Amino acid sequence: MKKQFKFLAFTLFLGLLITSCSSDDDNSSTPQEPLGDYENGILVSAEGGPSSVSYISNDFSTVENNIYANVNTESLGVYLQSIGFDGNQAYIISDNVNTINVVNRYTFEKETAITTGLYTPRYIGFANGKGYVSNWGSGSDAIDDFIAVIDLSTNTVESTIPVGEGPEQIVSNNGKIYVSHKGGWSFNNIITVIDTNTNLTTTITVNDVPDEMFINNSGELVVLCEGKPGWSGSETNATISKIDVTTNTVTETLNFAAGVHPSQMSSDNGEIYYQANNEVFVMSETSSSLPTASIVNLGTINTYGMAVKGDKLYVTDAKDFASLGDLNVYDLTTNTLENTFTVGVNASKIYFN
């Protein structure tokens, strides 16, 4: 068994997902009239099937599902992994069809598609006029993973950079690209650092299953390492680690209790938010210890994505991986649920446009 367990969960439900494409509950069965302007709002990507992108205006007064299909009258396929933004463009990555659809981020009109040089693409970051895309490669090959370097002026893959197993999320900072390696269908414990001037790589060893990352106000790379789960047979502790990006060394590690495996880390206004055991916790970027009490209990929802902006917490509920999902919005001044919006199947990532 080889690539990331979250993707495996999707695979197990694939038959149900494909069936749901033609069901009465499928929000693509009744296309909406496109708004034509998707600025000043929240975008929610849904893995599918079918894959979709939903728009909710910042004041929550307007909602449109399937905006890509509504505008372009074509499907994104079954598995939408992530969206990256650079200037006026949005890069929509569908990993099982090895495609990146490039659209105007405000109108969602398709500009082109990148269909060669990719192999199970996951996430994209940007630096020096290039796009850097993490690729898992084949599930049966532990040494074929790579970063595809895209010339954004031509939207073509100009080169590839071999990296370790299971490259995932990407952060760009001061001419460097940082790639977390969860390990695909297996597990990994490294961050790859790419010098975008030379494409030379360095690796930093962290704790097991690193995923979400961000650069904090002190210029450090903060990494959430989920740890190996109990079912792996070799469970390890989760951590939040801080890395000095000048020396590429881990300077501080905060350890979670045994058996606690957090996920969906987000940052805003000098604070770190993360989800563990369906509860949301918050801590200062400068804290040297983990919080002991949560601020929001998410109950029994199937938490699949999380983001924070201003005084709002956004959480996706994937439900049974076959039905339409929800975007739940919590007011962080009261830590209570404020709104719920129906979005796509396997609602996953949340973006602010």
Side-chain angles (χ1 to χ4, degrees):
M1 186 175 190
K2 199 177 161 292
K3 304 283 181 190
Q4 163 62 18
F5 52 85
K6 185 182 287 185
F7 185 73
L8 178 60
F10 167 81
T11 304
L12 294 174
F13 285 98
L14 186 58
L16 288 173
L17 299 181
I18 293 172
T19 301
S20 74
C21 292
S22 59
S23 73
D24 292 338
D25 288 336
D26 181 359
N27 66 350
S28 67
S29 60
T30 54
Q32 295 174 250
E33 186 68 25
L35 291 172
D37 181 3
Y38 303 105
E39 194 172 0
N40 300 315
I42 302 107
L43 300 176
V44 180
S45 65
E47 295 173 359
S51 298
S52 65
V53 181
S54 298
Y55 169 81
I56 300 100
S57 61
N58 284 337
D59 63 3
F60 305 137
S61 65
T62 302
V63 180
E64 182 185 339
N65 288 317
N66 292 300
I67 63 175
Y68 179 88
N70 293 343
V71 171
N72 300 292
T73 63
E74 68 177 31
S75 171
L76 284 166
V78 174
Y79 194 66
L80 193 170
Q81 172 56 35
S82 66
I83 306 176
F85 301 88
D86 182 61
N88 291 330
Q89 279 69 47
Y91 296 76
I92 306 172
I93 300 176
S94 298
D95 72 356
N96 67 318
V97 290
N98 300 318
T99 298
I100 301 176
N101 285 292
V102 184
V103 303
N104 180 290
R105 67 185 293 174
Y106 304 119
T107 67
F108 253 68
E109 292 176 339
K110 182 176 179 177
E111 298 180 355
T112 189
I114 304 168
T115 58
T116 59
L118 305 170
Y119 195 174
T120 321
R122 303 288 290 172
Y123 292 85
I124 188 170
F126 304 92
N128 301 337
K130 311 289 185 184
Y132 294 80
V133 182
S134 54
N135 287 258
W136 274 3
S138 169
S140 61
D141 191 337
I143 59 172
D144 68 342
D145 305 65
F146 64 96
I147 303 298
V149 183
I150 296 175
D151 182 337
L152 298 180
S153 65
T154 61
N155 285 309
T156 57
V157 175
E158 65 176 24
S159 62
T160 59
I161 304 170
V163 294
E165 175 75 336
E168 198 76 357
Q169 304 214 30
I170 295 180
V171 168
S172 175
N173 182 60
N174 290 334
K176 301 286 178 58
I177 293 291
Y178 299 86
V179 185
S180 62
H181 291 253
K182 293 185 75 172
W185 282 4
S186 184
F187 304 101
N188 210 334
N189 65 341
I190 61 171
I191 305 295
T192 293
V193 186
I194 301 172
D195 185 326
T196 61
N197 293 313
T198 63
N199 283 353
L200 295 177
T201 64
T202 302
T203 58
I204 305 169
T205 300
V206 292
N207 289 76
D208 291 322
V209 198
D211 192 7
E212 284 95 347
M213 306 177 291
F214 70 94
I215 300 292
N216 68 14
N217 291 331
S218 299
E220 301 165 306
L221 182 69
V222 180
V223 183
L224 177 66
C225 300
E226 298 176 4
K228 293 181 184 178
W231 59 259
S232 70
S234 55
E235 186 171 10
T236 56
N237 283 12
T239 64
I240 292 177
S241 297
K242 295 179 182 178
I243 295 172
D244 183 326
V245 297
T246 302
T247 62
N248 288 333
T249 57
V250 176
T251 58
E252 185 176 17
T253 299
L254 306 181
N255 291 283
F256 287 84
V260 177
H261 297 283
S263 61
Q264 288 106 30
M265 182 177 69
S266 183
S267 66
D268 186 69
N269 197 29
E271 294 185 309
I272 301 171
Y273 297 80
Y274 63 86
Q275 180 270 136
N277 297 328
N278 251 22
E279 295 183 81
V280 177
F281 297 79
V282 62
M283 58 183 284
S284 169
E285 287 182 356
T286 60
S287 178
S288 58
S289 61
L290 296 170
T292 57
S294 64
I295 58 168
V296 174
N297 189 320
L298 301 174
T300 59
I301 73 170
N302 189 348
T303 305
Y304 207 46
M306 187 187 82
V308 175
K309 185 177 182 183
D311 62 352
K312 297 291 188 289
L313 165 71
Y314 302 84
V315 178
T316 61
D317 178 4
K319 299 189 176 179
D320 59 1
F321 293 103
S323 307
L324 295 178
D326 286 336
L327 174 69
N328 293 326
V329 184
Y330 297 82
D331 184 339
L332 289 175
T333 62
T334 60
N335 295 333
T336 56
L337 181 64
E338 179 180 355
N339 283 291
T340 297
F341 302 96
T342 299
V343 287
V345 177
N346 277 348
S348 177
K349 310 296 188 303
I350 302 156
Y351 306 95
F352 304 103
N353 202 23

